[in-house]
Amino acid sequence: MLSLQLKDLVVSSSSPVTNYWNNHQFSTIYSPSLFLTNHYARTNNATQTLSTKLNTNSKTAVAASSDSVQEEEEYEVITAMRSNHNDIVIVDTPKARMLLLDSTHNVHSILNKDQKWTGAYWDEFASLPAIIPEGPVAILGLGAGTAAHLMLHLWPSLDLHGWEIDPILIDKARQYFGLSDLEIPTTDGGILRVHVDDALSPAENDSGKFAGIIIDLFSEGRVLLQLHEVATWLDLSKRLMPNGRFMVNCGGISEKPDNADGTWMENPTVKALSEAFPGQVNWKRVPETEGSNFLAFTGPLPDFTFWASKLPHPLSENVKRWKPCS
């Protein structure tokens, strides 16, 4: 989930912003190009604002930060609707297609048009299969499938299972993000199996054992509060095979104290993981240009040389930034 603030959105049409969802002006153009210039920066905090002026006649938009005006580009809202679970907006740009969800309009999935890798946290998830036992992998919080695309690209024999609670979102992902292509077996036997259900439901504990579980669960711009609870992680661990691992997008710092030093102890999700699995949690904070989010994975810290040898650049360099939570 990439953070995009649209509270300063100014629409140059007769329809007020508050009526956007009712009017469904799919042809309206607006710009999330602050993402593109920041390499799809991601955070779970509302730290970035986007001031956008729309020109529906010329079909161009200008994104302005506090100190500069970005390059003009075209952006089109290709669908906008409300499901029982989400406000769903899909934006098409010359470089990428993006899925924006809920009232925060945060970006939950990106499909680049000219390259596979995103330059953001989704890439990190693709490094997990190199350090887990052979077996299926789960994604809790599938979205439109950005991580699934990357993982099956790098690991084409992977048996991948993805959980997403919103059936309408899955329909849109199949229509606009190529999710249905991943549901067809690759020549190496890899496949994505989609589960439309609550990923944290105890009933899902019977869905099988996994060598790795990726967790990317957000709502209204924040990590699900259940992930701040030790009991949640102990319950989820029942789904792991022996020596299996979690890899988690833990978000940012909810309330940054004056003496904050950017360590894992300031993130409630990493703290809960560390309490649930003492001495078995590793963390890193992605660069500010990528959103400053915390990531974590469980299990012993792997040998970096071995791990890097299994991955292409730049993933092979990124793994060297992990540190134990001791």
Side-chain angles (χ1 to χ4, degrees):
M1 180 208 68
L2 283 161
S3 178
L4 171 60
Q5 281 292 98
L6 293 179
K7 65 181 181 181
D8 298 320
L9 188 66
V10 179
V11 182
S12 60
S13 69
S14 59
S15 299
V17 175
T18 54
N19 290 333
Y20 175 76
W21 294 104
N22 293 329
N23 294 336
H24 292 288
Q25 306 232 347
F26 299 145
S27 62
T28 299
I29 307 298
Y30 74 94
S31 174
S33 61
L34 189 58
F35 292 138
L36 302 176
T37 55
N38 282 344
H39 306 289
Y40 306 126
R42 170 189 172 82
T43 175
N44 78 316
N45 298 315
T47 57
Q48 296 174 332
T49 60
L50 179 66
S51 179
T52 308
K53 293 185 178 180
L54 307 186
N55 186 324
T56 55
N57 294 324
S58 63
K59 294 185 182 293
T60 61
V62 179
S65 64
S66 59
D67 56 357
S68 65
V69 175
Q70 309 294 344
E71 180 182 356
E72 290 190 5
E73 294 186 79
E74 291 189 357
Y75 301 88
E76 181 180 1
V77 177
I78 58 176
T79 189
M81 63 178 300
R82 178 177 288 130
S83 72
N84 289 334
H85 299 278
N86 280 301
D87 290 342
I88 300 172
V89 180
I90 297 175
V91 178
D92 204 41
T93 81
K95 297 179 180 179
R97 184 164 288 176
M98 305 181 197
L99 171 70
L100 284 62
L101 295 180
D102 60 51
S103 62
T104 64
H105 293 92
N106 285 337
V107 175
H108 284 245
S109 294
I110 292 174
L111 183 65
N112 284 328
K113 297 179 180 180
D114 57 353
Q115 61 179 1
K116 286 287 185 181
W117 304 107
T118 66
Y121 80 100
W122 291 286
D123 299 353
E124 302 281 352
F125 290 156
S127 69
L128 180 62
I131 55 170
I132 58 176
E134 184 176 350
V137 173
I139 301 175
L140 310 188
L142 180 64
T146 299
H149 274 285
L150 297 175
M151 294 180 75
L152 283 171
H153 169 68
L154 188 58
W155 311 96
S157 63
L158 196 62
D159 182 11
L160 194 59
H161 294 245
W163 268 263
E164 176 56 53
I165 198 170
D166 192 338
I168 293 178
L169 191 158
I170 290 297
D171 288 343
K172 296 300 179 183
R174 287 169 174 151
Q175 182 177 1
Y176 293 111
F177 288 86
L179 193 70
S180 56
D181 295 339
L182 305 181
E183 298 176 276
I184 301 171
T186 68
T187 55
D188 294 303
I191 192 171
L192 171 66
R193 308 176 196 273
V194 176
H195 303 259
V196 181
D197 212 330
D198 179 359
L200 297 182
S201 170
E204 298 304 312
N205 289 343
D206 298 328
S207 58
K209 298 286 188 178
F210 297 94
I213 300 178
I214 289 166
I215 298 177
D216 191 19
L217 293 170
F218 282 70
S219 179
E220 295 296 334
R222 301 207 176 263
V223 173
L224 294 190
L225 292 180
Q226 295 97 308
L227 301 184
H228 297 172
E229 300 172 4
V230 173
T232 298
W233 293 107
L234 295 177
D235 197 40
L236 284 173
S237 67
K238 300 173 185 175
R239 305 184 194 179
L240 283 175
M241 296 169 51
N243 300 317
R245 299 178 186 262
F246 294 118
M247 184 174 280
V248 189
N249 175 8
C250 302
I253 301 173
S254 298
E255 296 182 4
K256 187 174 182 179
D258 293 338
N259 61 347
D261 56 6
T263 68
W264 64 271
M265 296 182 68
E266 295 162 2
N267 182 275
T269 304
V270 186
K271 286 176 66 176
L273 276 164
S274 296
E275 290 182 39
F277 313 109
Q280 293 290 306
V281 179
N282 310 282
W283 74 286
K284 70 175 172 179
R285 198 173 185 191
V286 298
E288 186 175 351
T289 54
E290 299 173 14
S292 298
N293 270 34
F294 289 87
L295 301 177
F297 74 87
T298 60
L301 192 65
D303 178 82
F304 287 143
T305 301
F306 169 81
W307 195 2
S309 70
K310 302 293 184 181
L311 301 171
H313 182 81
L315 295 187
S316 58
E317 293 300 314
N318 291 348
V319 300
K320 299 174 183 178
R321 300 206 308 261
W322 289 98
K323 295 172 285 187
C325 285
S326 57

mmCIF file of all heavy atoms in Angstrom, residues 4 56 64 66 117 153 158 208 216 223 232 253 283 294 320-321:
data_model
loop_
_atom_site.group_PDB
_atom_site.id
_atom_site.type_symbol
_atom_site.label_atom_id
_atom_site.label_comp_id
_atom_site.label_asym_id
_atom_site.label_seq_id
_atom_site.Cartn_x
_atom_site.Cartn_y
_atom_site.Cartn_z
ATOM 1 N N LEU A 4 -1.078 7.824 -0.632
ATOM 2 C CA LEU A 4 -1.392 8.949 -1.519
ATOM 3 C C LEU A 4 -2.473 9.772 -0.871
ATOM 4 O O LEU A 4 -3.575 9.287 -0.641
ATOM 5 C CB LEU A 4 -1.874 8.440 -2.873
ATOM 6 C CG LEU A 4 -2.452 9.479 -3.844
ATOM 7 C CD1 LEU A 4 -1.393 10.519 -4.159
ATOM 8 C CD2 LEU A 4 -2.952 8.848 -5.096
ATOM 9 N N THR A 56 -9.890 18.813 -17.721
ATOM 10 C CA THR A 56 -10.542 17.742 -18.452
ATOM 11 C C THR A 56 -10.580 17.993 -19.949
ATOM 12 O O THR A 56 -10.852 17.087 -20.726
ATOM 13 C CB THR A 56 -11.981 17.554 -17.947
ATOM 14 O OG1 THR A 56 -12.676 18.792 -18.027
ATOM 15 C CG2 THR A 56 -11.979 17.080 -16.513
ATOM 16 N N ALA A 64 1.849 18.946 -7.685
ATOM 17 C CA ALA A 64 2.748 19.909 -7.070
ATOM 18 C C ALA A 64 3.076 19.498 -5.661
ATOM 19 O O ALA A 64 2.176 19.223 -4.864
ATOM 20 C CB ALA A 64 2.106 21.291 -7.076
ATOM 21 N N SER A 66 5.356 20.674 -2.063
ATOM 22 C CA SER A 66 5.424 21.950 -1.365
ATOM 23 C C SER A 66 6.497 22.863 -1.933
ATOM 24 O O SER A 66 6.439 24.068 -1.747
ATOM 25 C CB SER A 66 5.683 21.711 0.120
ATOM 26 O OG SER A 66 6.892 21.006 0.295
ATOM 27 N N TRP A 117 9.915 -4.895 -12.052
ATOM 28 C CA TRP A 117 10.167 -4.479 -10.680
ATOM 29 C C TRP A 117 9.599 -3.109 -10.411
ATOM 30 O O TRP A 117 9.512 -2.250 -11.292
ATOM 31 C CB TRP A 117 11.671 -4.532 -10.401
ATOM 32 C CG TRP A 117 12.226 -5.884 -10.682
ATOM 33 C CD1 TRP A 117 13.017 -6.245 -11.739
ATOM 34 C CD2 TRP A 117 11.973 -7.086 -9.948
ATOM 35 N NE1 TRP A 117 13.287 -7.590 -11.689
ATOM 36 C CE2 TRP A 117 12.656 -8.134 -10.614
ATOM 37 C CE3 TRP A 117 11.248 -7.382 -8.802
ATOM 38 C CZ2 TRP A 117 12.636 -9.440 -10.147
ATOM 39 C CZ3 TRP A 117 11.219 -8.684 -8.346
ATOM 40 C CH2 TRP A 117 11.907 -9.694 -9.017
ATOM 41 N N HIS A 153 7.093 -14.388 -11.592
ATOM 42 C CA HIS A 153 8.097 -14.035 -12.612
ATOM 43 C C HIS A 153 9.470 -14.582 -12.216
ATOM 44 O O HIS A 153 10.188 -15.153 -13.054
ATOM 45 C CB HIS A 153 8.157 -12.519 -12.765
ATOM 46 C CG HIS A 153 9.319 -12.032 -13.574
ATOM 47 N ND1 HIS A 153 9.444 -12.261 -14.930
ATOM 48 C CD2 HIS A 153 10.428 -11.329 -13.213
ATOM 49 C CE1 HIS A 153 10.565 -11.723 -15.365
ATOM 50 N NE2 HIS A 153 11.184 -11.162 -14.344
ATOM 51 N N LEU A 158 6.414 -21.740 -8.461
ATOM 52 C CA LEU A 158 5.866 -21.506 -7.125
ATOM 53 C C LEU A 158 4.365 -21.806 -7.064
ATOM 54 O O LEU A 158 3.594 -21.394 -7.935
ATOM 55 C CB LEU A 158 6.110 -20.055 -6.734
ATOM 56 C CG LEU A 158 5.964 -19.675 -5.261
ATOM 57 C CD1 LEU A 158 6.961 -20.430 -4.412
ATOM 58 C CD2 LEU A 158 6.159 -18.168 -5.093
ATOM 59 N N GLY A 208 -4.176 -25.264 5.007
ATOM 60 C CA GLY A 208 -2.929 -25.933 4.659
ATOM 61 C C GLY A 208 -1.743 -25.282 5.331
ATOM 62 O O GLY A 208 -1.841 -24.236 5.962
ATOM 63 N N ASP A 216 0.509 -8.406 4.116
ATOM 64 C CA ASP A 216 0.439 -7.016 3.659
ATOM 65 C C ASP A 216 -0.990 -6.526 3.862
ATOM 66 O O ASP A 216 -1.700 -6.232 2.905
ATOM 67 C CB ASP A 216 0.859 -6.945 2.188
ATOM 68 C CG ASP A 216 1.081 -5.517 1.709
ATOM 69 O OD1 ASP A 216 1.274 -4.630 2.553
ATOM 70 O OD2 ASP A 216 1.048 -5.295 0.484
ATOM 71 N N VAL A 223 -1.854 -0.409 9.146
ATOM 72 C CA VAL A 223 -1.777 -1.846 9.375
ATOM 73 C C VAL A 223 -2.974 -2.278 10.227
ATOM 74 O O VAL A 223 -3.380 -1.571 11.153
ATOM 75 C CB VAL A 223 -0.468 -2.198 10.108
ATOM 76 C CG1 VAL A 223 -0.435 -3.660 10.514
ATOM 77 C CG2 VAL A 223 0.731 -1.868 9.236
ATOM 78 N N THR A 232 -2.319 -12.859 17.705
ATOM 79 C CA THR A 232 -2.561 -13.004 16.263
ATOM 80 C C THR A 232 -1.418 -13.763 15.605
ATOM 81 O O THR A 232 -1.629 -14.670 14.798
ATOM 82 C CB THR A 232 -2.715 -11.625 15.604
ATOM 83 O OG1 THR A 232 -3.852 -10.966 16.171
ATOM 84 C CG2 THR A 232 -2.895 -11.757 14.095
ATOM 85 N N ILE A 253 5.767 4.513 11.647
ATOM 86 C CA ILE A 253 5.662 4.870 13.060
ATOM 87 C C ILE A 253 4.359 5.617 13.243
ATOM 88 O O ILE A 253 4.159 6.681 12.654
ATOM 89 C CB ILE A 253 6.846 5.738 13.515
ATOM 90 C CG1 ILE A 253 8.163 4.974 13.295
ATOM 91 C CG2 ILE A 253 6.699 6.146 14.967
ATOM 92 C CD1 ILE A 253 9.396 5.824 13.555
ATOM 93 N N TRP A 283 14.604 -7.220 10.814
ATOM 94 C CA TRP A 283 13.893 -6.038 10.355
ATOM 95 C C TRP A 283 14.785 -5.161 9.491
ATOM 96 O O TRP A 283 16.005 -5.266 9.496
ATOM 97 C CB TRP A 283 13.410 -5.218 11.553
ATOM 98 C CG TRP A 283 14.542 -4.484 12.245
ATOM 99 C CD1 TRP A 283 15.498 -5.017 13.052
ATOM 100 C CD2 TRP A 283 14.840 -3.090 12.144
ATOM 101 N NE1 TRP A 283 16.369 -4.048 13.481
ATOM 102 C CE2 TRP A 283 15.994 -2.853 12.942
ATOM 103 C CE3 TRP A 283 14.251 -2.019 11.473
ATOM 104 C CZ2 TRP A 283 16.555 -1.578 13.077
ATOM 105 C CZ3 TRP A 283 14.812 -0.749 11.606
ATOM 106 C CH2 TRP A 283 15.953 -0.542 12.405
ATOM 107 N N PHE A 294 8.667 -0.041 7.760
ATOM 108 C CA PHE A 294 9.382 -1.152 8.350
ATOM 109 C C PHE A 294 8.941 -2.457 7.689
ATOM 110 O O PHE A 294 7.751 -2.668 7.445
ATOM 111 C CB PHE A 294 9.091 -1.243 9.849
ATOM 112 C CG PHE A 294 9.711 -0.151 10.664
ATOM 113 C CD1 PHE A 294 9.058 1.055 10.853
ATOM 114 C CD2 PHE A 294 10.960 -0.323 11.252
ATOM 115 C CE1 PHE A 294 9.620 2.056 11.608
ATOM 116 C CE2 PHE A 294 11.534 0.682 12.018
ATOM 117 C CZ PHE A 294 10.867 1.874 12.195
ATOM 118 N N LYS A 320 21.058 -7.308 2.033
ATOM 119 C CA LYS A 320 22.156 -7.037 2.960
ATOM 120 C C LYS A 320 21.796 -5.986 4.012
ATOM 121 O O LYS A 320 22.570 -5.750 4.939
ATOM 122 C CB LYS A 320 23.396 -6.590 2.182
ATOM 123 C CG LYS A 320 23.895 -7.647 1.203
ATOM 124 C CD LYS A 320 25.038 -7.138 0.342
ATOM 125 C CE LYS A 320 25.468 -8.185 -0.683
ATOM 126 N NZ LYS A 320 26.551 -7.689 -1.562
ATOM 127 N N ARG A 321 20.624 -5.378 3.879
ATOM 128 C CA ARG A 321 20.224 -4.327 4.830
ATOM 129 C C ARG A 321 19.427 -4.877 6.009
ATOM 130 O O ARG A 321 19.063 -4.138 6.922
ATOM 131 C CB ARG A 321 19.401 -3.244 4.105
ATOM 132 C CG ARG A 321 20.118 -2.553 2.972
ATOM 133 C CD ARG A 321 19.583 -1.168 2.716
ATOM 134 N NE ARG A 321 18.130 -1.139 2.545
ATOM 135 C CZ ARG A 321 17.511 -1.107 1.367
ATOM 136 N NH1 ARG A 321 18.229 -1.115 0.261
ATOM 137 N NH2 ARG A 321 16.198 -1.071 1.297
#
